């Protein structure tokens, strides 16, 4: 077969690919843009109808042959289509790339249709949405079989079969159930794959007869019916046999296959097995396969503007044109205050030299690192952060000296000095807890402050960084957990061959009766300690990051006296028993500390909680309190169900309450309403394209104004506490309006007014901007509502 | 009872407001006994009477202000706007964070009184009015606006005591009665049982069918205010049906009738329990709420009468 030849083939027509193709067309080079979907820009195409698309980050200038500004989805797609025609871009839709082989100058690109295309260079811009999983049965591609639901309100009075018992399937079913007959098909026996909030809603809808379900059911085929009442016959195998359901439409929500495997099959390497890991690229976006370039979301840049800029730049780089990246000006500004640094490359070089931790990074990664970070030039004596702050950024010392003042378990103070080339703040970053010490500039300093998200991304994308960070931080963990006065030599000895271990919720660190294998320093997460009492497992204690467990058996030389389990995703450093024993033998001060904790533990075992409180602990753990930093609880023995907590919350937050008092579970008169737990490691932050979710110094997890309304956080929060809401012009009532009973009350915002406005994610911010603190608690007339953090958790229970 | 269940309204801050009002009342009584009431004349006219009168008026205004605080606890709009403006930009927030935390700590005590604190004070100060105002009257009553105000006050206070009582005791009962269910859940289950009972009864004689149908259509949950408050329905058709089933069971015992009758009986029994729970829920909630519809309007009436009382005093000086 004759195959066509192009200089540049661009795979994927999202913002990144479109921009690259347009630039190539402008230059008049032979090019081809390949798109798997039947239309361009598939990801944007599937945004909700009428979705306002935001142009974040606002400070970044756009440089592309295509235009882009904040606007409605339809308008943006229309503009792009026009510009594509104007630039005479050569594109092909419905062309899925399945394989890329060859090398720079001679790539062969295979399409699903079997065709093959030759190219000198390939630009990969396939995003991270992945390939939607199809039903893989006859009839999967019939016209009324769809794999997306963009606008539930577009369908009414239909019989719709929804396939897939995950969150997407359940959410779609719920959205459609109001005006359609919905049958939800689940392969599994139970709906255990979806979030609790969705599960509860689904069960309610099923109980009310609004949704029918079939479980343990496999799709067999879909047939088109002769024109008549129904379009399709959906045939499935149920536990009772074959069943045919005549319907108008089948919506299958089976998730997407992440593109990583495909990309790896092209020869591209990822530095890490973590799902957030991105391929390592050169400054020119070139991957480890020479001639194969990667831009956009797949390269780790999750916003439209970034993808478009890179599409433009990558073409220039391929053509060998030196272009200043669009973010150059931003970077220059970052370094503006640093003495003796006059250009961005000098700044980057300084970073590379003065921070060994960052040495394994490519220049591109360093640039991105700097874009997210801020350079802080501090005079001597300035406080950088305080002990017990909730900040979680990471600091690198470029110049100067920083003193860290910590306080050990027993209240003794210790001060460490850190020189240029060191870093600090990693403990708060990794544990998600309060800062364990105060950092002060002890000389004039130049620091780089990097936010949590960028640092985590770095750890997952550059294997070397993680290793280097661990070398130093392990010792710091041991020192802060065990004994702040331990000499460096002993620390080295202790952490030699120490293992870092991870546990999922409910995993056992060790069992009652086990032989003692060592001392467990909890670096992240939290654990419960429990023991069998009269055939029942009774929880004795809840222990959080920054502490250790396992000293009882070491000190007493007996088998483990209790079982320790992870209460939230937990990471520990395990110190070998023999080494710990050696060091204990040589250091009386440490010996005394461990002994005193041992005695305290023995004593508190005497006051072990009753099995009822133990049940309560288990209940609360199940509700996510184990990973919370501050959670709203309601004592239902005093709650008069007046909902003043909700009303006042709405009043304080533009008319939308961020808590749902009635939803949620109750045990022993303690009710956990649906409201944010301010998790140590907020799941909601995981996948926020504009990085709009932050934690403030006081611990509140909040969403800032640059939220683009993508809904990822809503999907990621396991507790269902995030809502998408329109920001309305809400006015509080004045005293006179309250007295006379006039003016609009909270939560009475008009549907009509809010119909077409952009929705943004809203959640509890613990009233961080309100004098007096959380309104829900203050508004409760009987004092039933209270907030609790894990630090005082055990006090409450015992 | 575990430690999570903190202090009740009465015990709030270790009886702070109980102690304060007790002191106030003790002072008032002592003063009253020491400074003997002037014979015959209205006692309010003496200087102690004036003091007590003004004090009681202030307390009443404070008690009424509770209703406003309850709706404005989230803070005054003006101040909040200002605050948001000052903390808007992230960089600025970073610079200000240190000072900000300090101000936040400082202001917490000043404007951060919780509604619970307000209510604890409300309850004790409200109750103290019985003593303060009685002393203020010098125990002179008659058919006039002054005594009207006094009576209204007693009514408000009585309803307040009722409210306090239900607030302290009912919440626990609600949780015990409902567990994890909501009222809607119960109603749904009841409807399902009704459906089941009706289908099961189809093959049985008319007598049974009539009974089941009556139980389905005439059982009322909620209903009139009185029914809501009592948590009962007189001659409840469901209860009646359950009782009748026992007799009818003996009557219809041919073929498969006994089995169907048993099923029917068990369905009706389950329904009866659910109905009882639903009515209890409604009853508890209604009792928890109803008194406020007297308490607040009577409070307003009291304020009006009080105004009349004060105005008339100055008129007839
Ligand atoms: C709900 C939602 C809302 C968002 N809102 C905003 C917003 O308001 N503002 C903003 O800046 N960003 C927003 N984003 C992020 C934005 O969508 C992405 O940053 C952007 O789309 C990334 O562009 P890209 O070109 O890298 O990849 P994509 O846009 O994902 O494009 C990849 C293209 O490649 C195609 N493709 C995939 N595999 C193959 C293959 N094998 N062969 C051929 N073609 C293939 C796909 O069909 C797709 O068209 C949002 C994201 C979501 C999910
Ligand atoms: C003259 C005396 C009193 C006046 C004028 C008064 C007035 C008020 C007012 C205006 C409210 C607000 C109602 C609302 O906004 O919903 C209220 C609520 C209340 N009052 Fe009183 N009150 C008085 C005495 C008392 C006493 C003596 C008690 C108890 C012993 C009491 C207990 C309560 C309670 C429990 C509430 C309900 C709180 C709530 O649900 O938020 N009151 N009162
Ligand atoms: S304000 Fe307090 S009493 Fe009222 S519903 Fe909320 S928690 Fe219950
Ligand atoms: S929104 Fe959800 S995931 Fe995020 S902090 Fe709150 S509870 Fe945790």
């Amino acid at each position: 077969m004759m195959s066509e030849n192009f200089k540049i083939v661009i795979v994927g027509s999202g913002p990144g690919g479109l921009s690259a193709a347009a630039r190539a067309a402008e230059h008049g080079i032979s090019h081809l843009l390949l798109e798997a979907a039947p239309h361009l820009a598939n990801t944007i195409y599937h945004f909700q109808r009428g979705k306002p698309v935001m142009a974040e980050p606002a400070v970044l200038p756009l440089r592309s042959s295509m235009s882009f500004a904040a606007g409605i989805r339809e308008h943006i797609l229309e503009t792009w289509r026009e510009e594509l025609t104007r630039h005479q871009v050569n594109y092909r839709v419905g062309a899925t790339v399945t394989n890329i082989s060859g090398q720079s100058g001679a790539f062969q690109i295979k399409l699903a249709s079997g065709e093959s295309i030759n190219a000198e260079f390939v630009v990969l811009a396939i995003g991270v949405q992945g390939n939607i999983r199809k039903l893989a049965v006859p009839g999967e591609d019939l016209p009324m079989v769809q794999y997306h639901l963009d606008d539930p309100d577009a369908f009414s009075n239909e019989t719709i079969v929804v396939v897939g018992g995950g969150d997407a399937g359940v959410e779609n079913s719920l959205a459609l159930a109001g005006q359609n007959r919905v049958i939800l098909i689940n392969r599994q026996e139970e709906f255990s794959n979806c979030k609790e909030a969705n599960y509860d809603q689904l069960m309610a809808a099923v109980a009310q007869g609004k949704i029918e379900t079939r479980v343990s059911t496999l799709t067999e085929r879909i047939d088109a019916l002769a024109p008549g009442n129904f379009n399709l016959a959906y045939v499935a195998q149920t536990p009772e046999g074959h069943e045919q359901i005549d319907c108008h439409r089948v919506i299958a929500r089976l998730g997407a296959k992440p593109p990583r495997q495909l990309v790896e099959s092209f020869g591209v390497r990822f530095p890490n097995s973590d799902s957030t890991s991105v391929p390592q690229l050169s400054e020119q976006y070139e991957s480890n396969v020479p001639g194969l370039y990667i831009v956009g979301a797949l390269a780790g840049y999750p916003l439209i503007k970034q993808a478009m800029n890179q599409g433009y730049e990558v073409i220039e780089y391929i053509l060998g044109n030196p272009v200043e990246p669009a973010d150059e000006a931003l970077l220059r500004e970052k370094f503006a205050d640093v003495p003796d640094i006059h250009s961005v490359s000098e700044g980057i070089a300084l970073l590379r030299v003065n921070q060994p931790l960052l040495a394994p990074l490519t220049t591109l990664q360093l640039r991105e690192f700097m874009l997210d970070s801020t350079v802080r030039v501090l005079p001597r004596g300035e406080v950088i952060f305080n002990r017990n702050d909730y900040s979680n950024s990471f600091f690198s010392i470029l110049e100067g000296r920083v003193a860290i003042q910590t306080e050990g378990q027993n209240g003794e103070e210790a001060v460490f000095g850190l020189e240029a080339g060191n870093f600090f703040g990693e403990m708060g970053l990794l544990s998600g807890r309060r800062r364990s010490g105060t950092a002060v500039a002890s000389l004039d300093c130049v620091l780089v402050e990097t936010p949590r998200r960028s640092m985590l991304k770095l750890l997952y994308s550059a294997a070397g960084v993680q290793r280097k960070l661990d070398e130093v931080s392990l010792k710091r963990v041991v020192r802060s957990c065990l004994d702040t006065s331990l000499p460096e030599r002993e620390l080295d000895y202790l952490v030699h061959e120490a293992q870092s271990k991870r546990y999922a919720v409910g995993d056992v660190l060790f069992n009652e009766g086990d032989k003692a294998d060592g001392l467990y320093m909890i670096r992240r997460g939290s654990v419960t300690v429990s023991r069998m009492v009269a055939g029942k497992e009774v929880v004795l204690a809840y222990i959080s990051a920054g502490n250790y467990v396992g000293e009882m058996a070491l000190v007493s030389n007996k088998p483990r006296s209790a079982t320790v389990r992870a209460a939230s995703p937990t990471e520990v450093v395990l110190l070998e028993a023999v080494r710990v024993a050696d060091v204990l033998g040589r250091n009386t001060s440490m010996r005394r500390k461990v002994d005193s904790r041992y005695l305290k533990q023995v004593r508190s075992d005497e006051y072990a909680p009753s099995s009822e409180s133990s049940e309560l602990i288990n209940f609360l753990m199940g509700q996510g309190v184990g990973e919370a930093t501050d959670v709203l609880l309601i004592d239902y023995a005093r709650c008069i169900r007046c909902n003043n907590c909700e009303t006042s919350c709405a009043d304080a937050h533009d008319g939308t309450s961020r808590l749902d008092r009635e939803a949620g579970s109750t045990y022993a008169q303690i009710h956990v309403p649906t409201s944010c737990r301010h998790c140590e490691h907020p799941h909601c932050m995981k996948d926020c394209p504009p990085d709009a979710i932050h934690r403030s110094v006081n611990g509140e997890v909040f969403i800032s104004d640059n939220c683009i309304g993508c809904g990822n956080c809503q999907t990621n929060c396991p507790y269902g506490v995030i809502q998408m809401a329109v920001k309305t012009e809400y006015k509080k009532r004045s005293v006179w309006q309250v007295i006379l009973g006039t003016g609009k009350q909270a939560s009475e915002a008009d549907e009509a007014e809010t119909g077409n406005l952009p929705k943004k994610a809203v959640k509890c911010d613990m009233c961080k901007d309100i004098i007096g603190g959380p309104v829900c608690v203050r508004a409760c007339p009987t004092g039933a509502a209270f907030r609790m953090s894990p630090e005082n958790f055990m006090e409450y229970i015992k | 009872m575990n430690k999570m269940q903190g202090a009740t309204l009465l015990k709030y801050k270790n009886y702070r407001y109980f102690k304060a009002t007790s002191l106030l009342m003790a002072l008032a009584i002592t003063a009253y006994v020491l400074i003997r009431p002037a014979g015959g004349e209205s006692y309010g006219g003496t200087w102690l009477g004036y003091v007590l009168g003004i004090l009681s008026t202030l307390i009443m205004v404070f008690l009424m202000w509770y209703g406003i605080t309850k709706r404005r606890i989230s803070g005054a709009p003006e101040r909040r706007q200002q605050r948001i403006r000052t903390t808007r930009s992230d960089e600025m927030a970073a610079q200000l964070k240190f000072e900000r935390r300090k101000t936040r700590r400082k202001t917490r005590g000043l404007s951060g009184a919780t509604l619970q604190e307000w209510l604890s004070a409300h309850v004790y100060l409200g109750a103290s009015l019985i003593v303060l105002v009685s002393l203020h009257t010098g125990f002179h009553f008659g058919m006039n606006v002054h005594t009207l105000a006094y009576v209204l006050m007693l009514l408000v206070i009585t309803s307040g005591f009722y409210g306090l009582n239900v607030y302290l005791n009912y919440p626990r009962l609600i949780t015990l009665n409902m567990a994890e269910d909501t009222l809607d859940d119960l109603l749904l289950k009841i409807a399902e049982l009704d459906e089941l009972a009706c289908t099961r009864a189809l093959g049985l004689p008319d007598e049974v069918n009539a009974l089941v149908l009556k139980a389905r259509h005439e059982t009322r949950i909620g209903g009139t205010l009185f029914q809501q408050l009592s948590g009962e329905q007189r001659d409840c058709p469901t209860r009646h049906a359950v009782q009748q089933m026992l007799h009818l069971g003996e009557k219809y015992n041919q073929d498969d009738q006994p089995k169907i009758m048993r099923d029917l009986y068990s369905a009706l029994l389950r329904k009866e329990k659910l109905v009882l729970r639903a009515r209890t829920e409604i009853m508890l909630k209604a009792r928890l709420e109803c008194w406020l519809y007297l308490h607040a309007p009577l409070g307003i009436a009291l304020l009006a009468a009080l105004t009349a009382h004060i105005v008339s005093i100055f008129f007839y000086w």
Side-chain angles (χ1 to χ4, degrees), chain A residues 781, chain B residues 63-64 66-67 70-71 119 122-123 126-127 129 153 156-157 160-161 164 167 291-292 295-296 302:
Chain B
L63 295 178
M64 292 301 290
Y66 171 84
K70 180 176 173 182
R71 287 161 185 80
L119 189 54
H122 179 98
V123 164
L129 285 180
M153 183 196 80
V156 178
I157 295 177
F161 272 107
L164 180 64
Y167 273 23
W291 66 277
L292 262 179
H295 191 73
L302 165 62

Side-chain angles (χ1 to χ4, degrees), chain A residues 10-29:
Chain A
I10 299 137
V11 187
S13 68
L18 283 178
S19 173
R23 187 63 188 157
E26 235 176 14
H27 275 299
I29 352 174

Side-chain angles (χ1 to χ4, degrees), chain A residues 288-596:
Chain A
N288 62 301
V289 179
L292 179 66
Y293 293 76
I294 300 182
V295 295
L298 182 63
Y301 298 81
L303 292 167
I304 295 173
K305 218 196 281 177
Q306 297 167 330
M308 293 182 71
N309 284 347
Q310 294 180 348
Y312 176 95
E313 288 159 17
V314 77
I315 296 299
E316 300 298 323
Y317 290 143
I318 290 176
L319 297 180
N321 301 336
V323 282
E324 194 173 71
D327 48 30
E328 185 78 6
L330 296 175
L331 278 177
R332 204 174 300 130
E333 213 164 295
K334 301 247 175 198
F335 286 112
D337 291 341
V338 186
D340 301 332
I341 294 292
H342 306 294
S343 74
V344 173
S345 50
E346 276 177 40
I348 298 282
L350 177 73
L351 206 59
R352 211 190 270 288
V353 174
N354 272 7
Q355 183 47 277
L357 183 70
L358 303 176
L361 298 186
T362 64
T363 305
L364 183 64
Q365 282 172 320
L366 274 175
R367 290 183 71 98
E368 203 201 342
F369 175 86
M370 271 316 297
L371 269 180
D372 293 340
S373 307
T374 23
V375 176
R376 296 181 59 187
V377 182
L378 298 177
R380 179 178 164 184
E382 178 105 356
V383 174
I384 302 156
F385 56 68
N386 277 289
R387 192 170 124 79
N388 288 340
D389 273 1
Y390 252 120
S391 56
N392 47 19
S393 48
F394 179 91
F395 293 87
S396 312
I397 312 178
L398 292 193
E399 280 166 27
R401 195 181 141 90
V402 171
I404 314 272
Q405 302 155 1
T406 62
E407 204 173 292
Q409 300 290 331
N410 303 331
E412 75 284 357
E413 290 232 350
V415 180
F416 309 99
L418 294 176
E419 312 284 334
N422 278 299
F423 57 84
F424 60 97
E426 85 289 352
M427 256 200 279
L429 173 81
L430 293 175
S431 74
R433 294 203 158 237
R434 296 173 187 277
R435 295 288 195 196
S436 57
T438 300
V440 185
S442 50
L443 291 177
D444 290 354
C445 280
V446 179
L447 305 178
V448 176
E449 177 174 6
T450 314
R452 173 184 188 270
R453 180 172 81 156
S454 324
M455 205 54 213
L456 290 180
K457 192 156 123 190
L458 203 64
L459 290 183
Y460 290 135
S461 306
V465 178
Q466 169 104 44
R467 200 162 19 78
K468 280 198 177 290
L469 185 104
D470 260 358
E471 276 169 23
V472 179
S473 74
L474 281 190
K475 280 196 267 182
R476 292 191 186 161
V477 173
V478 174
R479 189 181 256 160
S480 87
C481 288
L482 264 181
D483 180 3
T484 42
S485 61
L486 212 57
E488 193 72 21
R489 177 172 39 84
E490 298 286 31
L491 278 178
D492 282 335
Y493 178 73
L494 268 178
V495 301
H496 186 71
E497 281 177 19
Q499 303 169 49
S500 182
K501 292 186 159 194
R502 281 163 185 257
Y503 301 88
V505 182
D507 281 359
V508 172
L509 279 65
F510 53 78
N511 273 308
E512 195 175 338
D514 283 358
K515 194 168 133 10
D517 52 349
L519 203 54
Y520 290 72
M521 314 276 135
I522 307 170
R523 188 182 195 187
R524 163 190 174 147
S526 53
V527 298
T528 56
V529 181
S530 59
R531 191 179 291 164
M532 294 303 274
V533 175
K536 255 187 148 176
E537 190 165 336
V538 172
V539 180
L540 302 173
Y542 164 87
I543 294 177
S544 54
N547 291 298
Y548 56 88
V549 287
E551 84 286 2
M552 299 282 283
L554 283 186
V555 173
S556 66
N557 248 327
K558 288 196 212 119
R560 298 287 187 198
S561 60
T563 299
V564 172
R565 261 177 223 284
S568 49
T570 297
E571 199 179 318
V572 301
V573 178
L574 172 56
L575 303 181
E576 274 180 64
V578 269
R579 286 177 187 268
V580 176
D582 284 351
V583 174
L584 278 178
R586 289 196 291 260
N587 291 274
T588 41
S589 108
M590 175 171 155
R591 173 98 219 173
R592 229 175 306 125
K593 275 170 201 151
V594 174
D595 277 352
S596 90

